Amino acid sequence: MYPADLKYTKDHEWIRVDTDAADVGITDFAQQQLGDVVFVELPQVGRVLSQGEVFGTIESVKAVSELFSPVAGEIVAVNDALTSAPEQVNADPHTAWIIRVRTSNPSDLDALLDAEAYTQHVG
Amino acid sequence: MVDTQTALKQTPLHATHLGHRARMVAFGGWDMPVEYSGISDEHLAVRTRAGLFDVSHMGEIEIAGSDALAAVQQISANDASRLAIGQIQYSALTTEQGTFVDDLLVYRMADDHFLLVVNASNIDKDFAWIRTQVQPFADAPAVNTSSRYALLALQGPAAVDVLQTLTATPLADIRYYWFEPGEIAGVRGTISRTGYSGEDGFEVFVPPAHAPAVWQAILHAGASAGVVPAGLGARDTLRLEASMRLFGNDMDETTTVLEAGLGWVVGWKKPTFNGAGVLRAQKANGVTRTLVGIEMVDRAIARHGYPVLLDGQPVGVVTSGTQTPFLKKAIAMAYVPADLAQHDRELHVDVRGRLAAARIVPMPFYKRPRS
């Protein structure tokens, strides 16, 4: 269910760390709770985030939810495709990344949950 | 710790919803399905095919007796004397200030017998209010009969054909806002051509014990037509697209019937009714604020409680808002000063600290095509 190559926050974001940058999105549990996503408010590229900082909002028909950065770092890209097709978050939550961050503090990852721990967290 | 979950009331279809794996939420003291397959999916099903809603949480209060008409005329703004037996009208249960205790449907069951359908969250308040209000009438006792009825709403263009397969009552002969007693799937009940979706459709009152069987029969009969169960989420987006007001969001005990843009429900020719003085004065002098339709220009969703600004100054407040699945626009209703309420006027909505451009548009946002 929850891919083993991702790390997770208790606030239901995931992060996929590549060599130089990490993609951040919301989990399948989060998209189920939200229902039909209709709007993703993306941040400015270049913004520097601290761990746990709010970087945007995601809205479904029925609710608004804040997005928290799993790690500290600079935003190097945002997924503009979500502006016209926010429903990708529902259709494929663990692929539909929202921001790409150049992480500044690798040890931030140590505080995150692995797939097994996250599965227990939402179970 | 209080376990609020156990305090929530359940409709006779509660187990049915769990069986459909619906997402359940607390609404007005009830544990209700908010969505089954998804709000957008259910919304589009109602606009193009049909959706089946459990609205058994709605309340029923009956007033019967030789003074029933006089009592209803006093408490309800609309003119119930214009109702034939079998006819229904939308109305407001008004305070002396012309504001809303609730909004409601008034069914004329017989010359001296009215059934009022009220909002779920207001049942106790409304019944207490109505009992006090009917006291001066010698023969107009009010009874809270909410637990005697389950209420199922089949809404959408396919509703008439689907429901017709389950009843001998000729549904085409029931006009909009009329009702007939009848059998649905072998169960005695009342078939009402009403709804809260902006589509053609029916609401059927059946005894609670038979509700699950009637529900399954309707879904079974409608399977080939694409009928799906639909929850409170789609009910809200559908009613908002059709510009139907929601008590507690768009009007309440602080807003008058005229401010809410519902002057058409007032029976102006009646000699008196609760709130008549205030409403007649507002009709003569005009209102200071009024409910308008808003369409967002910037990409943002205006939601209940967000401030409305003109030239940087707060001038009003959003009462309901959403991204509508059918029109695919962000729409809202808001109270603004009456002198600003012109179509195409540009305003801003404070969306969590960010100003988003919006403009006033005519309501309803959506009107169903007439066949």
Side-chain angles (χ1 to χ4, degrees):
Chain A
M1 178 74 233
Y2 292 99
D5 58 331
L6 306 185
K7 293 271 205 171
Y8 302 87
T9 71
K10 290 185 176 176
D11 299 316
H12 312 293
E13 289 86 14
W14 55 257
I15 183 165
R16 175 179 281 114
V17 181
D18 266 308
T19 318
D20 296 321
D23 287 351
V24 175
I26 68 165
T27 67
D28 183 60
F29 178 84
Q31 70 81 17
Q32 282 183 40
Q33 293 296 309
L34 278 166
D36 299 324
V37 171
V38 291
F39 188 60
V40 183
E41 188 187 19
L42 298 168
Q44 292 287 325
V45 171
R47 194 173 138 193
V48 177
L49 301 169
S50 54
Q51 189 178 29
E53 186 176 341
V54 174
F55 68 80
T57 56
I58 187 163
E59 291 193 58
S60 66
V61 173
K62 62 175 189 260
V64 186
S65 187
E66 292 185 318
L67 297 164
F68 300 95
S69 183
V71 293
E74 181 187 344
I75 299 172
V76 294
V78 297
N79 186 357
D80 282 322
L82 297 181
T83 303
S84 55
E87 65 276 7
Q88 287 181 9
V89 174
N90 295 115
D92 205 353
H94 300 138
T95 303
W97 62 281
I98 299 171
I99 58 170
R100 181 164 298 155
V101 179
R102 184 182 295 121
T103 54
S104 53
N105 186 5
S107 67
D108 283 351
L109 295 169
D110 300 343
L112 303 179
L113 306 174
D114 63 16
E116 190 181 343
Y118 183 72
T119 302
Q120 285 181 4
H121 176 61
V122 299
Chain B
M1 288 287 285
V2 177
D3 186 358
T4 53
Q5 208 59 33
T6 57
L8 291 175
K9 287 176 275 193
Q10 300 180 352
T11 77
L13 290 161
H14 190 265
T16 305
H17 303 317
L18 298 184
H20 286 301
R21 303 179 61 81
R23 179 182 307 286
M24 306 296 285
V25 293
F27 177 82
W30 295 77
D31 191 33
M32 296 297 292
V34 65
E35 59 181 331
Y36 303 82
S37 54
I39 293 174
S40 296
D41 188 54
E42 294 161 28
H43 183 115
L44 294 173
V46 171
R47 288 274 178 260
T48 58
R49 308 186 304 272
L52 180 62
F53 300 81
D54 175 17
V55 287
S56 302
H57 60 314
M58 300 292 283
E60 290 83 14
I61 295 169
E62 295 179 44
I63 301 177
S66 57
D67 295 321
L69 175 60
V72 171
Q73 290 288 65
Q74 181 64 37
I75 64 174
S76 163
N78 212 330
D79 186 352
S81 74
R82 297 176 58 189
L83 288 175
I85 295 168
Q87 199 176 6
I88 306 157
Q89 68 188 186
Y90 179 58
S91 187
L93 191 64
T94 36
T95 67
E96 275 303 327
Q97 288 72 46
T99 63
F100 290 83
V101 177
D102 204 353
D103 65 337
L104 74 167
L105 291 184
V106 179
Y107 286 67
R108 192 163 203 172
M109 313 297 286
D111 270 337
D112 291 339
H113 181 186
F114 295 85
L115 179 145
L116 315 179
V117 178
V118 303
N119 281 299
S121 53
N122 288 340
I123 295 172
D124 293 343
K125 180 189 78 168
D126 289 355
F127 185 54
W129 169 264
I130 290 169
R131 279 184 76 186
T132 308
Q133 294 293 312
V134 301
Q135 285 297 319
F137 299 91
D139 184 25
V143 181
N144 179 356
T145 55
S146 300
S147 63
R148 300 183 199 175
Y149 300 100
L151 186 56
L152 281 58
L154 182 63
Q155 301 282 296
V160 61
D161 291 337
V162 168
L163 200 61
Q164 190 64 76
T165 65
L166 299 172
T167 181
T169 302
L171 297 179
D173 294 347
I174 305 178
R175 283 171 286 164
Y176 191 53
Y177 270 66
W178 288 72
F179 67 94
E180 292 268 350
E183 256 182 39
I184 311 99
V187 175
R188 291 292 302 170
T190 300
I191 306 169
S192 169
R193 196 158 199 165
T194 46
Y196 194 51
S197 66
E199 294 301 326
D200 184 26
F202 295 86
E203 293 176 298
V204 295
F205 298 76
V206 294
H210 295 285
V214 175
W215 174 276
Q216 296 298 357
I218 293 173
L219 282 185
H220 188 256
S224 60
V227 175
V228 297
L232 294 186
R235 184 168 157 86
D236 189 50
T237 54
L238 286 160
R239 69 92 194 164
L240 181 53
E241 235 175 30
S243 301
M244 296 165 121
R245 278 66 162 165
L246 173 62
F247 181 90
N249 273 42
D250 309 313
M251 74 286 195
D252 57 24
E253 296 192 10
T254 69
T255 50
T256 74
V257 177
L258 289 189
E259 289 167 347
L262 294 173
W264 60 273
V265 310
V266 179
W268 297 110
K269 291 178 180 160
K270 295 200 292 185
T272 189
F273 56 93
N274 287 345
V278 171
L279 292 175
R280 288 193 211 283
Q282 283 194 339
K283 189 181 185 220
N285 305 325
V287 292
T288 56
R289 61 173 174 170
T290 188
L291 193 68
V292 294
I294 280 181
E295 190 178 305
M296 299 308 292
V297 176
D298 286 341
R299 281 186 59 88
I301 301 173
R303 295 184 186 270
H304 179 72
Y306 288 6
V308 176
L309 296 90
L310 178 70
D311 300 329
Q313 296 301 310
V315 293
V317 64
V318 173
T319 59
S320 289
T322 193
Q323 174 80 19
T324 72
F326 185 77
L327 297 175
K328 302 202 182 302
K329 293 175 182 172
I331 57 169
M333 292 195 258
Y335 279 104
V336 298
D339 58 351
L340 300 181
Q342 292 97 25
H343 297 154
D344 294 326
R345 179 181 289 281
E346 295 265 347
L347 298 164
H348 286 89
V349 177
D350 181 342
V351 179
R352 302 181 301 280
R354 191 168 61 86
L355 291 189
R359 64 189 172 90
I360 297 176
V361 296
M363 292 198 285
F365 305 104
Y366 168 83
K367 201 167 171 45
R368 73 181 159 99
R370 298 279 165 173
S371 46

